[in-house]
Amino acid sequence: MRSIGNATDQAPANPAATDDMLATQPIGYWSGLAHTAVTRHLRDAMAKIDVTQPQYWVLNRVNGGPAAPGREEVVAQLTHLADGPDEIARVVDQLLHREWLGIDDRQRLCLTDAGEAARVRLRELVVEVRAVVHQGISDEEYVAALRVLRKMVANVEGGGGPAGPS
């Protein structure tokens, strides 16, 4: 590993990098690989019970606030997570059709009994998937990893340094 001032040199992405080489590895490669693998694993598990991750997001959002949200509010709050600008609106329609969501007199979305049962079942599945993902990782290691990622996001979003490939 070569040091440049206080910075470590950037090596090309190497899936076989040994521990002593990890400091030179590009975060974009490894965080992208982790995102893809974990998301695929979760979505595959959900597909086995005919549910999508965006459907789970919507069920949680409708359930999770102090007041029942309207359709536009749910779409606005979740679109940044979705694969496209129209996905969350489609998911709301799917869940209304599936009768997991209803609309009250004030045009607010609410979970039906079937929707709440699905949300609870999905929550249990997510906990199981999380246990697989976190196998062999202590809470302290997990917190440390998230702190590092959060700091990296703050560094680049806050203009904390020169822009460049990672």
Side-chain angles (χ1 to χ4, degrees), residues 95-148:
L95 295 175
L96 287 165
H97 178 75
R98 197 175 252 196
E99 297 183 354
W100 286 4
L101 289 181
I103 300 176
D104 68 17
D105 295 341
R106 298 173 302 137
Q107 297 302 301
R108 300 297 203 179
L109 297 171
C110 54
L111 294 181
T112 63
D113 289 344
E116 175 59 12
R119 189 193 65 75
V120 169
R121 186 172 65 250
L122 281 163
R123 179 71 185 140
E124 291 167 355
L125 176 66
V126 168
V127 168
E128 291 170 13
V129 168
R130 184 183 192 282
V132 170
V133 172
H134 289 240
Q135 188 174 355
I137 300 167
S138 71
D139 285 348
E140 293 79 16
E141 290 171 309
Y142 181 72
V143 168
L146 292 187
R147 282 185 181 141
V148 167

Side-chain angles (χ1 to χ4, degrees), residues 1-11 20-25:
M1 168 175 19
R2 194 174 102 224
S3 186
I4 305 169
N6 288 340
T8 300
D9 194 10
Q10 181 74 50
D20 63 326
M21 298 167 57
L22 288 178
T24 67
Q25 289 293 289

